[in-house]
Amino acid sequence: MEIKTQDYRICYDPATATVSFVGSLRLREPADYVPIVQLLAR
């Protein structure tokens, strides 16, 4: 699973159970974090 925007990329590797964050996470509203929370909840 991957979330990719112009400013950051978040990847989950199920083989190693690792989440990688690359870039800057300066989101404006709490609602902007929903996809990230959903990824981490898996």
Side-chain angles (χ1 to χ4, degrees):
M1 175 104 195
E2 178 179 67
I3 299 171
K4 188 174 183 179
T5 72
Q6 184 176 345
D7 298 319
Y8 65 87
R9 183 171 59 102
I10 303 170
C11 300
Y12 173 66
D13 181 359
T16 60
T18 303
V19 177
S20 300
F21 290 80
V22 178
S24 177
L25 284 173
R26 292 185 177 173
L27 304 179
R28 294 182 180 161
E29 302 176 10
D32 294 337
Y33 287 91
V34 170
I36 298 167
V37 171
Q38 290 173 342
L39 178 89
L40 295 174
R42 292 181 179 216

CSV table of all heavy atoms in Angstrom, one decimal:
chain,number,residue,atom,x,y,z
A,1,MET,N,0.9,-1.2,0.0
A,1,MET,CA,0.0,0.0,0.0
A,1,MET,C,0.9,1.2,0.0
A,1,MET,O,1.9,1.2,0.6
A,1,MET,CB,-0.9,0.0,1.2
A,1,MET,CG,-1.7,1.2,1.4
A,1,MET,SD,-3.4,0.7,1.0
A,1,MET,CE,-4.2,2.3,0.9
A,2,GLU,N,0.4,2.3,-0.7
A,2,GLU,CA,1.2,3.5,-0.8
A,2,GLU,C,0.3,4.7,-0.9
A,2,GLU,O,-0.7,4.6,-1.5
A,2,GLU,CB,2.1,3.4,-2.1
A,2,GLU,CG,2.9,4.7,-2.3
A,2,GLU,CD,3.8,4.5,-3.5
A,2,GLU,OE1,3.3,4.5,-4.6
A,2,GLU,OE2,5.0,4.5,-3.3
A,3,ILE,N,0.7,5.8,-0.3
A,3,ILE,CA,0.1,7.1,-0.4
A,3,ILE,C,1.2,8.0,-1.0
A,3,ILE,O,2.3,8.1,-0.4
A,3,ILE,CB,-0.4,7.6,1.0
A,3,ILE,CG1,-1.4,6.7,1.6
A,3,ILE,CG2,-1.0,9.0,0.8
A,3,ILE,CD1,-1.8,7.0,3.0
A,4,LYS,N,0.9,8.6,-2.1
A,4,LYS,CA,1.9,9.5,-2.7
A,4,LYS,C,1.2,10.8,-3.1
A,4,LYS,O,0.2,10.9,-3.7
A,4,LYS,CB,2.4,8.8,-4.0
A,4,LYS,CG,3.5,9.4,-4.6
A,4,LYS,CD,4.1,8.6,-5.8
A,4,LYS,CE,5.3,9.2,-6.4
A,4,LYS,NZ,5.8,8.4,-7.5
A,5,THR,N,1.9,11.9,-2.7
A,5,THR,CA,1.4,13.2,-3.0
A,5,THR,C,2.7,14.0,-3.6
A,5,THR,O,3.8,13.4,-3.6
A,5,THR,CB,0.8,14.0,-1.8
A,5,THR,OG1,1.9,14.4,-0.9
A,5,THR,CG2,-0.2,13.2,-1.1
A,6,GLN,N,2.4,15.2,-3.9
A,6,GLN,CA,3.5,16.1,-4.3
A,6,GLN,C,4.6,16.3,-3.2
A,6,GLN,O,5.8,16.5,-3.5
A,6,GLN,CB,3.0,17.4,-4.8
A,6,GLN,CG,4.0,18.4,-5.4
A,6,GLN,CD,3.3,19.6,-5.9
A,6,GLN,OE1,2.1,19.7,-6.1
A,6,GLN,NE2,4.1,20.6,-6.2
A,7,ASP,N,4.2,16.3,-2.0
A,7,ASP,CA,5.1,16.7,-0.9
A,7,ASP,C,5.6,15.5,-0.1
A,7,ASP,O,6.6,15.6,0.6
A,7,ASP,CB,4.3,17.6,0.1
A,7,ASP,CG,3.9,18.9,-0.6
A,7,ASP,OD1,4.7,19.4,-1.3
A,7,ASP,OD2,2.8,19.4,-0.3
A,8,TYR,N,4.9,14.3,-0.1
A,8,TYR,CA,5.4,13.2,0.7
A,8,TYR,C,4.9,11.9,0.0
A,8,TYR,O,4.1,11.8,-0.8
A,8,TYR,CB,4.9,13.3,2.1
A,8,TYR,CG,3.4,13.2,2.2
A,8,TYR,CD1,2.7,12.0,2.3
A,8,TYR,CD2,2.6,14.3,2.3
A,8,TYR,CE1,1.3,11.9,2.5
A,8,TYR,CE2,1.2,14.3,2.4
A,8,TYR,CZ,0.6,13.0,2.5
A,8,TYR,OH,-0.8,12.9,2.6
A,9,ARG,N,5.5,10.8,0.5
A,9,ARG,CA,5.2,9.4,0.1
A,9,ARG,C,5.3,8.6,1.3
A,9,ARG,O,6.2,8.6,2.1
A,9,ARG,CB,6.2,8.9,-0.9
A,9,ARG,CG,5.8,7.6,-1.5
A,9,ARG,CD,6.7,7.2,-2.6
A,9,ARG,NE,8.1,7.2,-2.3
A,9,ARG,CZ,8.8,6.1,-2.1
A,9,ARG,NH1,8.3,5.0,-2.2
A,9,ARG,NH2,10.1,6.2,-1.8
A,10,ILE,N,4.2,7.8,1.5
A,10,ILE,CA,4.2,6.8,2.7
A,10,ILE,C,3.9,5.4,2.1
A,10,ILE,O,3.0,5.2,1.3
A,10,ILE,CB,3.1,7.2,3.6
A,10,ILE,CG1,3.2,8.6,4.2
A,10,ILE,CG2,3.0,6.2,4.8
A,10,ILE,CD1,2.1,9.1,4.9
A,11,CYS,N,4.8,4.5,2.4
A,11,CYS,CA,4.7,3.1,1.9
A,11,CYS,C,4.7,2.1,3.0
A,11,CYS,O,5.4,2.3,4.0
A,11,CYS,CB,5.9,2.8,1.0
A,11,CYS,SG,6.1,3.9,-0.4
A,12,TYR,N,3.9,1.1,2.8
A,12,TYR,CA,3.8,0.0,3.8
A,12,TYR,C,4.3,-1.3,3.1
A,12,TYR,O,3.8,-1.6,2.0
A,12,TYR,CB,2.4,-0.2,4.3
A,12,TYR,CG,2.3,-1.5,5.2
A,12,TYR,CD1,3.0,-1.5,6.4
A,12,TYR,CD2,1.6,-2.5,4.8
A,12,TYR,CE1,2.9,-2.6,7.2
A,12,TYR,CE2,1.5,-3.7,5.6
A,12,TYR,CZ,2.2,-3.7,6.8
A,12,TYR,OH,2.1,-4.8,7.6
A,13,ASP,N,5.3,-1.9,3.7
A,13,ASP,CA,5.8,-3.2,3.2
A,13,ASP,C,5.4,-4.3,4.1
A,13,ASP,O,5.9,-4.5,5.2
A,13,ASP,CB,7.3,-3.1,3.1
A,13,ASP,CG,7.9,-4.4,2.5
A,13,ASP,OD1,7.2,-5.3,2.2
A,13,ASP,OD2,9.2,-4.5,2.4
A,14,PRO,N,4.4,-5.1,3.7
A,14,PRO,CA,3.8,-6.1,4.6
A,14,PRO,C,4.9,-7.3,4.8
A,14,PRO,O,4.8,-7.9,5.8
A,14,PRO,CB,2.6,-6.7,3.8
A,14,PRO,CG,2.8,-6.2,2.4
A,14,PRO,CD,3.6,-5.0,2.4
A,15,ALA,N,5.8,-7.5,3.9
A,15,ALA,CA,6.8,-8.5,4.1
A,15,ALA,C,7.7,-8.3,5.3
A,15,ALA,O,8.1,-9.2,6.0
A,15,ALA,CB,7.6,-8.7,2.8
A,16,THR,N,7.9,-7.0,5.6
A,16,THR,CA,8.8,-6.6,6.7
A,16,THR,C,8.0,-5.9,7.8
A,16,THR,O,8.6,-5.5,8.8
A,16,THR,CB,10.0,-5.7,6.2
A,16,THR,OG1,9.4,-4.5,5.6
A,16,THR,CG2,10.9,-6.5,5.3
A,17,ALA,N,6.7,-5.6,7.6
A,17,ALA,CA,5.9,-4.9,8.5
A,17,ALA,C,6.5,-3.5,8.8
A,17,ALA,O,6.5,-3.0,9.9
A,17,ALA,CB,5.6,-5.6,9.8
A,18,THR,N,6.9,-2.8,7.7
A,18,THR,CA,7.6,-1.5,7.8
A,18,THR,C,6.8,-0.5,7.1
A,18,THR,O,6.4,-0.6,6.0
A,18,THR,CB,9.0,-1.6,7.2
A,18,THR,OG1,9.8,-2.7,7.8
A,18,THR,CG2,9.8,-0.3,7.3
A,19,VAL,N,6.7,0.7,7.8
A,19,VAL,CA,6.1,1.9,7.1
A,19,VAL,C,7.2,2.9,6.9
A,19,VAL,O,8.0,3.2,7.9
A,19,VAL,CB,5.0,2.5,8.0
A,19,VAL,CG1,4.5,3.8,7.4
A,19,VAL,CG2,3.9,1.5,8.3
A,20,SER,N,7.3,3.4,5.7
A,20,SER,CA,8.4,4.4,5.4
A,20,SER,C,7.7,5.7,5.0
A,20,SER,O,6.8,5.8,4.2
A,20,SER,CB,9.2,3.9,4.1
A,20,SER,OG,9.8,2.7,4.4
A,21,PHE,N,8.2,6.8,5.6
A,21,PHE,CA,7.8,8.1,5.4
A,21,PHE,C,8.9,8.9,4.7
A,21,PHE,O,10.0,8.9,5.2
A,21,PHE,CB,7.4,8.9,6.7
A,21,PHE,CG,6.2,8.4,7.4
A,21,PHE,CD1,6.3,7.2,8.2
A,21,PHE,CD2,5.0,9.0,7.3
A,21,PHE,CE1,5.2,6.8,8.9
A,21,PHE,CE2,3.9,8.6,8.0
A,21,PHE,CZ,4.0,7.4,8.8
A,22,VAL,N,8.6,9.5,3.5
A,22,VAL,CA,9.6,10.3,2.8
A,22,VAL,C,8.9,11.6,2.5
A,22,VAL,O,7.8,11.7,1.9
A,22,VAL,CB,10.0,9.6,1.5
A,22,VAL,CG1,11.0,10.4,0.7
A,22,VAL,CG2,10.6,8.2,1.8
A,23,GLY,N,9.6,12.7,2.8
A,23,GLY,CA,9.1,14.0,2.5
A,23,GLY,C,8.6,14.8,3.7
A,23,GLY,O,9.0,14.5,4.8
A,24,SER,N,7.8,15.8,3.5
A,24,SER,CA,7.3,16.7,4.5
A,24,SER,C,5.8,16.5,4.8
A,24,SER,O,5.0,16.6,3.8
A,24,SER,CB,7.6,18.1,4.1
A,24,SER,OG,7.1,19.0,5.1
A,25,LEU,N,5.4,16.2,6.0
A,25,LEU,CA,4.0,16.0,6.4
A,25,LEU,C,3.5,17.3,7.1
A,25,LEU,O,3.3,17.3,8.3
A,25,LEU,CB,3.8,14.8,7.3
A,25,LEU,CG,3.9,13.5,6.6
A,25,LEU,CD1,3.9,12.4,7.7
A,25,LEU,CD2,2.8,13.3,5.7
A,26,ARG,N,3.2,18.3,6.3
A,26,ARG,CA,2.6,19.5,6.9
A,26,ARG,C,1.2,19.6,6.4
A,26,ARG,O,1.0,20.4,5.4
A,26,ARG,CB,3.5,20.7,6.5
A,26,ARG,CG,4.8,20.7,7.2
A,26,ARG,CD,5.5,22.0,6.9
A,26,ARG,NE,6.8,22.0,7.6
A,26,ARG,CZ,7.7,22.9,7.4
A,26,ARG,NH1,7.5,23.9,6.6
A,26,ARG,NH2,8.8,22.9,8.1
A,27,LEU,N,0.3,18.9,7.0
A,27,LEU,CA,-1.0,18.9,6.5
A,27,LEU,C,-1.9,20.0,7.2
A,27,LEU,O,-1.6,20.3,8.4
A,27,LEU,CB,-1.6,17.5,6.7
A,27,LEU,CG,-0.8,16.4,6.0
A,27,LEU,CD1,-1.5,15.0,6.3
A,27,LEU,CD2,-0.7,16.6,4.6
A,28,ARG,N,-2.8,20.5,6.5
A,28,ARG,CA,-3.6,21.7,7.0
A,28,ARG,C,-4.7,21.3,8.0
A,28,ARG,O,-4.9,22.0,8.9
A,28,ARG,CB,-4.2,22.4,5.8
A,28,ARG,CG,-3.1,23.0,5.0
A,28,ARG,CD,-3.7,23.8,3.9
A,28,ARG,NE,-2.6,24.4,3.1
A,28,ARG,CZ,-2.7,24.9,1.9
A,28,ARG,NH1,-3.9,24.8,1.3
A,28,ARG,NH2,-1.7,25.4,1.3
A,29,GLU,N,-5.4,20.2,7.7
A,29,GLU,CA,-6.6,19.9,8.5
A,29,GLU,C,-6.5,18.5,9.0
A,29,GLU,O,-5.9,17.6,8.4
A,29,GLU,CB,-7.8,20.0,7.6
A,29,GLU,CG,-8.1,21.3,7.0
A,29,GLU,CD,-9.3,21.3,6.1
A,29,GLU,OE1,-10.0,20.3,6.1
A,29,GLU,OE2,-9.5,22.3,5.4
A,30,PRO,N,-7.1,18.2,10.1
A,30,PRO,CA,-7.2,16.8,10.6
A,30,PRO,C,-7.7,15.8,9.6
A,30,PRO,O,-7.2,14.7,9.5
A,30,PRO,CB,-8.1,16.8,11.8
A,30,PRO,CG,-7.9,18.3,12.3
A,30,PRO,CD,-7.8,19.1,11.1
A,31,ALA,N,-8.6,16.2,8.8
A,31,ALA,CA,-9.2,15.3,7.7
A,31,ALA,C,-8.1,14.9,6.7
A,31,ALA,O,-8.2,13.8,6.1
A,31,ALA,CB,-10.3,16.0,7.0
A,32,ASP,N,-7.1,15.7,6.6
A,32,ASP,CA,-6.0,15.3,5.6
A,32,ASP,C,-5.2,14.1,6.1
A,32,ASP,O,-4.5,13.5,5.3
A,32,ASP,CB,-5.0,16.5,5.4
A,32,ASP,CG,-5.7,17.7,4.7
A,32,ASP,OD1,-6.7,17.5,4.0
A,32,ASP,OD2,-5.2,18.8,4.9
A,33,TYR,N,-5.3,13.8,7.4
A,33,TYR,CA,-4.5,12.7,8.0
A,33,TYR,C,-5.3,11.4,7.9
A,33,TYR,O,-4.7,10.3,8.2
A,33,TYR,CB,-4.2,13.0,9.5
A,33,TYR,CG,-3.1,14.0,9.6
A,33,TYR,CD1,-3.4,15.4,9.8
A,33,TYR,CD2,-1.8,13.7,9.7
A,33,TYR,CE1,-2.5,16.3,9.9
A,33,TYR,CE2,-0.8,14.6,9.8
A,33,TYR,CZ,-1.1,15.9,9.9
A,33,TYR,OH,-0.2,16.9,10.1
A,34,VAL,N,-6.5,11.4,7.5
A,34,VAL,CA,-7.4,10.2,7.4
A,34,VAL,C,-6.8,9.1,6.6
A,34,VAL,O,-6.7,8.0,7.1
A,34,VAL,CB,-8.8,10.5,7.0
A,34,VAL,CG1,-9.6,9.3,6.7
A,34,VAL,CG2,-9.5,11.4,8.0
A,35,PRO,N,-6.3,9.3,5.4
A,35,PRO,CA,-5.7,8.2,4.6
A,35,PRO,C,-4.5,7.6,5.3
A,35,PRO,O,-4.2,6.4,5.2
A,35,PRO,CB,-5.3,8.9,3.3
A,35,PRO,CG,-6.1,10.1,3.2
A,35,PRO,CD,-6.3,10.6,4.6
A,36,ILE,N,-3.7,8.5,6.0
A,36,ILE,CA,-2.5,8.0,6.7
A,36,ILE,C,-2.9,7.1,7.9
A,36,ILE,O,-2.4,6.0,8.1
A,36,ILE,CB,-1.6,9.2,7.2
A,36,ILE,CG1,-1.2,10.0,6.0
A,36,ILE,CG2,-0.5,8.7,8.0
A,36,ILE,CD1,-0.6,11.3,6.3
A,37,VAL,N,-3.9,7.5,8.6
A,37,VAL,CA,-4.4,6.7,9.8
A,37,VAL,C,-4.9,5.4,9.3
A,37,VAL,O,-4.7,4.4,9.9
A,37,VAL,CB,-5.5,7.5,10.6
A,37,VAL,CG1,-6.1,6.6,11.6
A,37,VAL,CG2,-4.8,8.7,11.2
A,38,GLN,N,-5.7,5.4,8.2
A,38,GLN,CA,-6.2,4.2,7.6
A,38,GLN,C,-5.1,3.2,7.2
A,38,GLN,O,-5.2,2.0,7.4
A,38,GLN,CB,-7.1,4.5,6.4
A,38,GLN,CG,-8.4,5.2,6.8
A,38,GLN,CD,-9.2,5.6,5.6
A,38,GLN,OE1,-8.7,5.7,4.5
A,38,GLN,NE2,-10.5,5.9,5.9
A,39,LEU,N,-4.0,3.8,6.6
A,39,LEU,CA,-2.9,2.9,6.2
A,39,LEU,C,-2.2,2.3,7.4
A,39,LEU,O,-1.9,1.1,7.5
A,39,LEU,CB,-1.8,3.8,5.4
A,39,LEU,CG,-0.6,3.0,5.0
A,39,LEU,CD1,-0.8,2.3,3.7
A,39,LEU,CD2,0.6,3.9,5.0
A,40,LEU,N,-2.0,3.1,8.5
A,40,LEU,CA,-1.4,2.6,9.7
A,40,LEU,C,-2.3,1.6,10.5
A,40,LEU,O,-1.7,0.8,11.2
A,40,LEU,CB,-1.0,3.8,10.6
A,40,LEU,CG,0.1,4.7,10.0
A,40,LEU,CD1,0.3,5.9,10.9
A,40,LEU,CD2,1.4,4.0,9.8
A,41,ALA,N,-3.6,1.7,10.3
A,41,ALA,CA,-4.5,0.8,11.0
A,41,ALA,C,-4.5,-0.6,10.4
A,41,ALA,O,-5.1,-1.5,11.1
A,41,ALA,CB,-5.9,1.4,11.1
A,42,ARG,N,-4.0,-0.8,9.3
A,42,ARG,CA,-4.0,-2.1,8.6
A,42,ARG,C,-3.1,-3.0,9.2
A,42,ARG,O,-2.1,-2.8,9.8
A,42,ARG,CB,-3.7,-1.9,7.1
A,42,ARG,CG,-4.8,-1.2,6.4
A,42,ARG,CD,-4.5,-1.1,5.0
A,42,ARG,NE,-5.6,-0.4,4.3
A,42,ARG,CZ,-6.1,-0.7,3.1
A,42,ARG,NH1,-5.5,-1.6,2.4
A,42,ARG,NH2,-7.1,0.0,2.7
